[in-house]
């Protein structure tokens, strides 16, 4: 009753009109637009200090606060936002899991303000949903393997930069209430979202406090049926609490403390009616039949982050220092699965969770030396160097107490040097090196006996533990030429060292000594060539890439045990991307992207499956702002076909299902109906496309063939002061 009343209240208020656009004079609008454009051209992820995008010889996507606010009108799901706005990012899975949503065919490292959120030692593919989108100021995406932040960045880096305080006011803030529901069948689909915060600066202190709470109703497909529950979001409750407090000692020295807690839990009184990807029968949620009950505890992640940052812009002559201390605790609880059974020990199934705790220290120095040559030419030189220390303790136990993946205790110490030369403001040359030394300790353990059915059980093995040492030296070099706005080319080579998903290798061990398991680090070589062009209102980007790794990891189904065993084999992945931005006039703007990626296991000369490779993807984002008080947007997503595999004994297996094309259209609008008040509406899947997301088609495993959302409406009101 409370849920329905709040929803009706939101609808009544919203029916009068929305937007977060301030009432600005024409002069202040120009100043704000110029300021926003300057900020959008600055990144901190690529080299760990602030620099212009023009100085980075790599493909970069910056998602601005304006774009985030636009997408938030339709949905608060970050996966969807990234899919629409980042070329090379695979389509959203439509679930809480980002398994299969790769970046250029490889797993990205997800970070919050430079602090890693992914759990690469046991990659559960839940790292993208690690905070609420409302606390994000912008998102920086650096594509291609890189070791600048250490382990886990095989496909690149996704860095969520959190909001900063408004330095012009001692107190400012905002509040928002909205409701989301299925337009196909509203029954029990109505949910609500509350979000608000305050920020400001008083003397030398600045602060940002933000909180959000969201309850989903039942999520329904184009037929009005409830989506399947595996990694589902029906009746999920998401909450985020964020605090950032800073103090400026003077113009050069500052200290900042940040805390963020995010949790998403699905607690629903339904069970799955499991379909079959090969027969076309969808998986959907249904009421619990008589004699059955919901098994397990609510699934979803909990994530704590604590960060302390100290900055001295001139600790000594022409040299700045940045010190980052951080701690992160993750607990990702997965769905209950009957395949985790062991009848002999009294287990009819099981539910696993990933526990991970990271503690880290980063010291980053940057020294700038500018000088003039005898012929009058100028050279700007920047040296970025420092030390990274990280302790990552990760395991994957069962909720019932069994240990599936033993505790892995990783200690990493790395030193790095990155150099940038800018010749006459036009030619940028960057090169760097990173030396990584990793110790991974695993005590003696036993693999679990797991039974898919009475005739398919894995054989438990007692494994002798040890401390494994990995040493890796990785390099990068890139060149960019900016003299001609019509054609600014770049070329780069970068390496990444990756020991991702060691836990998956440990839990399926068939040998008695950990030293015999193929846990070696994989060195990824990434080659990229591209350019950008600017012509008045048009900005165009194009990049093509090729990456290789000697020890990629894929799956192979073991008929005897019923377990998907990891296979380590050399891989190559290649593709291209294009983006165009066209500012048609002051009211109209369009952004379009296209990306294509392919990959092979080169040892067996077979294509890689849907876990890594996504179909071609095209997006179009059209924005119209006819006045200061009204804005409208249309978002179009096209996902193409990918059919690289043949059935095995008449059935598709593993992640090799055929993928058929689909297309989605979203619309949103906002209107300022009073000073400081606005209302908005967003519609996801406007034409009620009946489709399976890419992952649901490519994954043939039981219960994964879940359809996408049918037409879903989001409507609400904002207040800011």
């Amino acid at each position: 009753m409370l849920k329905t009343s709040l929803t009706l209240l939101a609808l009544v208020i919203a029916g009068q009109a929305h937007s977060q656009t301030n009432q600005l004079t024409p002069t202040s609008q120009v100043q704000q637009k110029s300021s926003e454009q300057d900020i959008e051209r600055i990144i901190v992820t690529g080299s760990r200090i602030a620099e212009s995008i023009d100085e980075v010889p790599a493909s970069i996507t910056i998602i601005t606060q304006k774009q985030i606010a636009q997408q938030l009108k339709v949905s608060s799901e970050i996966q969807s936002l990234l899919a629409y706005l980042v070329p090379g990012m695979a389509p959203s899975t439509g679930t809480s899991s980002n398994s299969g949503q790769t970046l250029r065919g490889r797993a990205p490292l997800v970070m919050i303000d430079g602090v890693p959120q992914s759990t690469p030692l046991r990659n559960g593919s839940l790292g993208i949903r690690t905070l609420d989108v409302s606390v994000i100021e912008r998102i920086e995406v650096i594509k291609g393997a890189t070791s600048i932040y250490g382990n886990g960045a095989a496909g690149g880096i996704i860095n969520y930069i959190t909001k900063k305080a408004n330095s012009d006011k001692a107190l400012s803030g905002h509040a928002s209430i909205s409701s989301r529901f299925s337009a196909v069948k509203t029954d029990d689909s109505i949910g609500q979202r509350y979000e608000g915060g305050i920020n400001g600066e008083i003397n030398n202190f600045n602060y940002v406090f933000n909180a959000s709470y969201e309850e989903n109703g039942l999520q329904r497909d184009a037929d009005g049926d409830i989506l399947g529950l595996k990694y589902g979001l029906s009746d999920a409750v998401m909450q985020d609490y964020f605090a950032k407090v800073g103090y400026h000692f003077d113009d050069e020295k500052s200290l900042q403390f940040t805390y963020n807690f995010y949790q998403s839990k699905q607690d629903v009184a339904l069970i799955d009616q499991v379909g079959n990807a090969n027969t076309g029968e969808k998986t959907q949620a249904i009421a619990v039949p008589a004699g059955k009950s919901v098994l397990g505890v609510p699934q979803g992640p909990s994530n704590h982050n604590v960060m302390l940052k100290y900055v001295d812009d001139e600790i000594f002559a022409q040299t700045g220092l940045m010190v980052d201390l951080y701690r992160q605790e993750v607990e990702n609880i997965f769905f209950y699965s009957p395949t985790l059974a062991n009848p002999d020990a009294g287990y009819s199934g099981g539910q696993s969770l990933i526990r991970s705790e990271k503690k880290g220290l980063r010291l980053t120095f940057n020294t700038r030396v500018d000088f003039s040559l005898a012929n009058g030419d100028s050279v700007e030189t920047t040296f970025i160097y420092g030390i990274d220390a990280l302790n990552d303790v990760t395991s994957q136990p069962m909720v019932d107490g069994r240990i599936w993946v033993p505790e892995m205790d990783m200690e990493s110490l790395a030193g790095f040097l990155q150099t940038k030369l800018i010749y006459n403001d036009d030619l940028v040359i960057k090169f760097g090196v990173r030396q990584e030394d990793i110790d991974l300790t695993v005590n003696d353990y036993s693999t679990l006996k797991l039974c898919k059915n009475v005739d398919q059980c894995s054989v438990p093995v007692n494994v002798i533990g040890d401390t494994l040492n990995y040493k890796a030296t990785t390099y990068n070099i890139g060149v960019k030429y900016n003299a001609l706005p019509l054609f600014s080319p770049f070329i780069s080579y970068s390496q990444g060292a990756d020991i991702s998903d060691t836990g998956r290798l440990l839990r399926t061990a068939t040998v008695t000594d950990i030293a015999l398991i193929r846990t070696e680090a994989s060195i990824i070589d990434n080659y990229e060539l591209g350019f950008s062009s600017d012509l008045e209102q048009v900005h165009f980007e194009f990049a093509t890439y090729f990456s290789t790794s000697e020890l990629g990891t894929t799956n192979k189904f073991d008929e005897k045990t019923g377990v998907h065993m990891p296979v380590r084999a050399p891989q190559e992945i290649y593709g291209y991307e294009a983006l165009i931005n066209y500012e048609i006039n002051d009211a109209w703007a369009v952004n379009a992207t296209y990306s294509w990626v392919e990959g092979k296991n080169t040892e067996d000369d077979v294509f890689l499956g849907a876990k890594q490779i996504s179909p071609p993807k095209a997006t179009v984002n059209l924005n119209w702002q006819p006045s200061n008080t009204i804005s409208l947007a249309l978002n179009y997503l096209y996902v193409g076909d990918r059919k690289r595999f043949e059935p095995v004994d008449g059935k598709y297996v593993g992640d090799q299902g055929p993928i058929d094309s689909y297309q989605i259209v979203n619309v949103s609008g906002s209107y300022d109906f009073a000073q400081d008040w606005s209302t908005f509406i967003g519609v996801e899947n406007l034409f009620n496309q009946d489709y399976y997301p890419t992952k649901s088609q490519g994954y043939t495993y039981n219960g994964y063939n879940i359809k996408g959302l049918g037409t879903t409406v989001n409507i609400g009101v904002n207040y800011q002061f």
Side-chain angles (χ1 to χ4, degrees), residues 379-422:
V379 178
E380 300 174 12
T381 308
T382 304
F383 299 95
I384 306 165
Y385 49 98
I387 295 174
D388 290 345
L390 171 65
N391 177 228
D392 182 347
V393 180
T394 300
S395 62
Q396 188 176 15
M398 297 283 194
V399 172
D400 56 37
R402 290 178 290 168
I403 302 299
W404 197 10
V405 175
E407 188 173 274
M408 299 168 286
D409 190 338
M410 185 188 81
E411 292 186 353
S412 170
L413 184 65
F416 62 90
L417 169 66
Q418 187 75 36
T419 303
K420 177 172 65 179
L421 303 174
I422 303 178

Coordinates of all heavy atoms in Angstrom, one line a residue, residues 379-422:
V379 N 59.8 22.0 -25.9 CA 59.5 20.6 -25.5 C 59.0 20.6 -24.1 O 59.6 21.2 -23.2 CB 60.7 19.7 -25.6 CG1 60.4 18.3 -25.1 CG2 61.3 19.7 -27.0
E380 N 57.8 20.0 -23.9 CA 57.3 19.9 -22.5 C 57.4 18.4 -22.1 O 57.0 17.5 -22.9 CB 55.8 20.2 -22.5 CG 55.5 21.6 -22.9 CD 54.0 21.9 -23.0 OE1 53.2 21.0 -22.5 OE2 53.6 22.9 -23.5
T381 N 58.1 18.2 -21.0 CA 58.4 16.8 -20.6 C 57.7 16.5 -19.2 O 57.9 17.3 -18.3 CB 59.9 16.5 -20.5 OG1 60.5 16.9 -21.8 CG2 60.2 15.1 -20.2
T382 N 57.0 15.4 -19.1 CA 56.4 15.0 -17.8 C 56.8 13.6 -17.5 O 56.7 12.7 -18.3 CB 54.9 15.1 -17.9 OG1 54.5 16.4 -18.3 CG2 54.3 14.8 -16.6
F383 N 57.3 13.4 -16.3 CA 57.7 12.1 -15.8 C 56.7 11.7 -14.7 O 56.6 12.5 -13.7 CB 59.1 12.1 -15.2 CG 60.2 12.5 -16.3 CD1 60.6 13.8 -16.4 CD2 60.7 11.5 -17.1 CE1 61.6 14.1 -17.3 CE2 61.6 11.8 -18.0 CZ 62.1 13.1 -18.1
I384 N 56.0 10.6 -14.8 CA 55.1 10.1 -13.8 C 55.7 8.8 -13.3 O 55.9 7.9 -14.1 CB 53.7 9.9 -14.4 CG1 53.2 11.2 -15.1 CG2 52.7 9.5 -13.3 CD1 52.0 11.0 -16.0
Y385 N 55.9 8.7 -12.0 CA 56.6 7.5 -11.5 C 56.1 7.3 -10.0 O 55.6 8.2 -9.4 CB 58.1 7.7 -11.5 CG 58.6 9.1 -10.9 CD1 59.0 9.2 -9.6 CD2 58.5 10.2 -11.7 CE1 59.5 10.4 -9.1 CE2 58.9 11.4 -11.2 CZ 59.4 11.5 -9.9 OH 59.8 12.7 -9.4
G386 N 56.3 6.1 -9.6 CA 55.8 5.8 -8.2 C 55.8 4.3 -7.9 O 56.4 3.5 -8.7
I387 N 55.1 4.0 -6.8 CA 55.0 2.6 -6.3 C 53.6 2.3 -6.0 O 52.9 3.1 -5.4 CB 55.9 2.4 -5.1 CG1 57.4 2.6 -5.4 CG2 55.7 1.1 -4.4 CD1 58.3 2.6 -4.2
D388 N 53.2 1.1 -6.3 CA 51.8 0.6 -6.0 C 52.0 -0.7 -5.1 O 52.8 -1.6 -5.4 CB 51.0 0.1 -7.2 CG 50.6 1.3 -8.0 OD1 50.7 2.4 -7.6 OD2 50.2 1.1 -9.2
A389 N 51.3 -0.7 -4.0 CA 51.3 -1.9 -3.1 C 49.9 -2.3 -2.9 O 49.0 -1.5 -2.6 CB 52.0 -1.6 -1.8
L390 N 49.6 -3.6 -3.0 CA 48.3 -4.1 -2.9 C 48.3 -5.5 -2.2 O 49.1 -6.3 -2.5 CB 47.6 -4.2 -4.3 CG 46.3 -5.0 -4.4 CD1 45.2 -4.2 -3.6 CD2 45.9 -5.2 -5.8
N391 N 47.3 -5.6 -1.3 CA 47.0 -6.9 -0.7 C 45.6 -7.3 -1.0 O 44.7 -6.5 -0.6 CB 47.3 -6.9 0.8 CG 46.9 -8.2 1.5 OD1 46.2 -8.2 2.5 ND2 47.4 -9.3 1.0
D392 N 45.4 -8.4 -1.7 CA 44.0 -8.8 -2.1 C 43.8 -10.2 -1.6 O 44.5 -11.2 -2.0 CB 44.0 -8.8 -3.7 CG 42.6 -9.1 -4.2 OD1 41.7 -9.7 -3.4 OD2 42.3 -8.9 -5.4
V393 N 42.8 -10.4 -0.7 CA 42.5 -11.7 -0.2 C 41.1 -12.0 -0.7 O 40.1 -11.4 -0.3 CB 42.5 -11.7 1.4 CG1 42.2 -13.1 1.9 CG2 43.9 -11.3 1.9
T394 N 41.0 -13.1 -1.5 CA 39.7 -13.4 -2.1 C 39.5 -14.9 -2.0 O 40.4 -15.7 -2.0 CB 39.7 -13.1 -3.6 OG1 39.9 -11.7 -3.8 CG2 38.4 -13.5 -4.3
S395 N 38.2 -15.3 -1.8 CA 37.8 -16.7 -1.7 C 36.4 -16.8 -2.2 O 35.7 -15.8 -2.4 CB 37.9 -17.2 -0.3 OG 37.0 -16.5 0.6
Q396 N 36.0 -18.1 -2.4 CA 34.6 -18.3 -2.8 C 34.0 -19.5 -2.0 O 34.1 -20.7 -2.5 CB 34.5 -18.6 -4.3 CG 33.0 -18.7 -4.8 CD 32.9 -18.8 -6.3 OE1 33.9 -19.2 -7.0 NE2 31.7 -18.6 -6.9
P397 N 33.5 -19.3 -0.8 CA 32.9 -20.3 -0.1 C 31.4 -20.5 -0.5 O 30.9 -19.7 -1.3 CB 33.0 -19.8 1.4 CG 32.9 -18.3 1.2 CD 33.6 -18.0 -0.1
M398 N 30.8 -21.5 0.1 CA 29.4 -21.7 -0.1 C 28.7 -21.1 1.1 O 29.3 -21.0 2.2 CB 29.0 -23.2 -0.1 CG 29.6 -23.9 -1.3 SD 28.7 -23.6 -2.8 CE 29.4 -24.8 -3.9
V399 N 27.5 -20.7 1.0 CA 26.7 -20.2 2.1 C 26.5 -21.3 3.2 O 26.5 -21.0 4.4 CB 25.3 -19.8 1.6 CG1 24.4 -19.4 2.7 CG2 25.4 -18.5 0.7
D400 N 26.5 -22.6 2.7 CA 26.3 -23.7 3.7 C 27.6 -24.0 4.4 O 27.7 -25.0 5.2 CB 25.7 -24.9 3.0 CG 26.5 -25.4 1.8 OD1 27.8 -25.3 1.9 OD2 25.9 -25.8 0.8
G401 N 28.8 -23.4 4.1 CA 30.0 -23.6 4.8 C 31.0 -24.3 4.0 O 32.2 -24.4 4.4
R402 N 30.7 -25.0 3.0 CA 31.7 -25.7 2.1 C 32.6 -24.6 1.5 O 32.2 -23.5 1.2 CB 31.0 -26.5 1.1 CG 30.3 -27.8 1.6 CD 29.6 -28.5 0.4 NE 28.4 -27.8 -0.1 CZ 27.8 -28.1 -1.2 NH1 28.2 -29.1 -1.9 NH2 26.7 -27.4 -1.6
I403 N 33.8 -25.0 1.2 CA 34.8 -24.1 0.5 C 34.9 -24.6 -0.9 O 35.5 -25.7 -1.2 CB 36.1 -24.1 1.2 CG1 35.9 -23.7 2.7 CG2 37.1 -23.2 0.5 CD1 35.4 -22.3 2.9
W404 N 34.5 -23.7 -1.9 CA 34.6 -24.1 -3.3 C 35.9 -23.6 -3.8 O 36.7 -24.3 -4.5 CB 33.4 -23.4 -4.0 CG 33.2 -24.0 -5.4 CD1 33.8 -25.1 -6.0 CD2 32.3 -23.5 -6.4 NE1 33.3 -25.3 -7.2 CE2 32.4 -24.3 -7.5 CE3 31.4 -22.4 -6.4 CZ2 31.7 -24.1 -8.7 CZ3 30.7 -22.2 -7.6 CH2 30.8 -23.0 -8.7
V405 N 36.3 -22.3 -3.5 CA 37.6 -21.8 -3.9 C 38.3 -21.3 -2.6 O 37.7 -20.6 -1.8 CB 37.4 -20.5 -4.8 CG1 38.8 -19.9 -5.1 CG2 36.8 -20.9 -6.1
P406 N 39.4 -21.9 -2.3 CA 40.1 -21.6 -1.1 C 40.6 -20.1 -1.1 O 40.6 -19.4 -2.1 CB 41.3 -22.5 -1.1 CG 41.6 -22.7 -2.5 CD 40.3 -22.7 -3.2
E407 N 40.9 -19.6 0.1 CA 41.4 -18.3 0.3 C 42.7 -18.1 -0.5 O 43.7 -18.8 -0.3 CB 41.6 -17.9 1.7 CG 41.9 -16.5 2.0 CD 41.9 -16.1 3.5 OE1 40.9 -15.9 4.0 OE2 43.0 -16.2 4.1
M408 N 42.7 -17.1 -1.4 CA 43.9 -16.7 -2.1 C 44.4 -15.3 -1.6 O 43.7 -14.4 -1.6 CB 43.6 -16.6 -3.6 CG 43.0 -17.8 -4.3 SD 42.3 -17.5 -5.9 CE 40.8 -16.7 -5.5
D409 N 45.6 -15.3 -1.1 CA 46.2 -14.1 -0.5 C 47.3 -13.6 -1.4 O 48.4 -14.2 -1.5 CB 46.8 -14.5 0.9 CG 47.2 -13.3 1.7 OD1 47.4 -12.2 1.1 OD2 47.3 -13.4 2.9
M410 N 47.0 -12.5 -2.1 CA 47.9 -11.9 -3.1 C 48.5 -10.7 -2.6 O 47.8 -9.8 -2.1 CB 47.2 -11.6 -4.4 CG 48.1 -11.1 -5.5 SD 47.2 -10.5 -7.0 CE 46.8 -8.8 -6.4
E411 N 49.9 -10.6 -2.6 CA 50.6 -9.4 -2.3 C 51.3 -8.9 -3.5 O 52.1 -9.7 -4.1 CB 51.6 -9.7 -1.1 CG 50.8 -9.9 0.2 CD 51.8 -10.0 1.4 OE1 53.0 -10.0 1.1 OE2 51.3 -10.1 2.5
S412 N 51.1 -7.7 -3.9 CA 51.7 -7.2 -5.1 C 52.5 -5.9 -4.8 O 52.0 -5.0 -4.1 CB 50.6 -6.9 -6.1 OG 51.1 -6.2 -7.2
L413 N 53.7 -5.8 -5.4 CA 54.4 -4.6 -5.3 C 54.9 -4.2 -6.7 O 55.5 -5.1 -7.4 CB 55.6 -4.7 -4.3 CG 56.5 -3.5 -4.1 CD1 55.7 -2.4 -3.4 CD2 57.7 -3.8 -3.3
A414 N 54.7 -3.0 -7.1 CA 55.0 -2.6 -8.5 C 55.6 -1.2 -8.5 O 55.2 -0.3 -7.7 CB 53.8 -2.7 -9.4
G415 N 56.6 -1.0 -9.4 CA 57.1 0.3 -9.6 C 56.8 0.6 -11.1 O 56.8 -0.2 -12.0
F416 N 56.6 1.9 -11.4 CA 56.3 2.3 -12.7 C 56.9 3.7 -13.1 O 57.2 4.5 -12.2 CB 54.8 2.4 -12.9 CG 54.1 3.4 -12.0 CD1 53.9 4.7 -12.5 CD2 53.6 3.1 -10.8 CE1 53.3 5.7 -11.6 CE2 53.0 4.0 -9.9 CZ 52.9 5.3 -10.4
L417 N 57.1 3.9 -14.3 CA 57.6 5.1 -14.9 C 56.9 5.4 -16.2 O 56.9 4.5 -17.1 CB 59.1 5.1 -15.1 CG 59.7 6.3 -15.9 CD1 59.5 7.6 -15.1 CD2 61.1 6.0 -16.3
Q418 N 56.3 6.5 -16.3 CA 55.6 6.9 -17.5 C 56.1 8.3 -18.0 O 56.1 9.2 -17.1 CB 54.1 7.0 -17.3 CG 53.2 7.3 -18.5 CD 53.1 6.0 -19.4 OE1 53.0 4.9 -18.9 NE2 53.1 6.2 -20.7
T419 N 56.5 8.4 -19.2 CA 57.1 9.7 -19.7 C 56.3 10.2 -20.8 O 55.8 9.4 -21.7 CB 58.5 9.4 -20.2 OG1 59.3 8.9 -19.1 CG2 59.2 10.7 -20.6
K420 N 56.1 11.5 -20.8 CA 55.3 12.2 -21.9 C 56.1 13.3 -22.4 O 56.6 14.2 -21.7 CB 54.0 12.6 -21.4 CG 53.2 13.4 -22.5 CD 51.7 13.7 -22.0 CE 51.7 14.6 -20.8 NZ 50.3 14.9 -20.4
L421 N 56.3 13.4 -23.8 CA 57.0 14.5 -24.4 C 56.1 15.2 -25.4 O 55.4 14.5 -26.2 CB 58.2 14.0 -25.2 CG 59.3 13.2 -24.4 CD1 60.4 12.7 -25.4 CD2 60.0 14.1 -23.4
I422 N 56.0 16.5 -25.3 CA 55.1 17.2 -26.2 C 56.0 18.2 -26.9 O 56.6 19.1 -26.3 CB 54.0 18.0 -25.5 CG1 53.1 17.0 -24.7 CG2 53.1 18.7 -26.5 CD1 52.0 17.7 -23.9

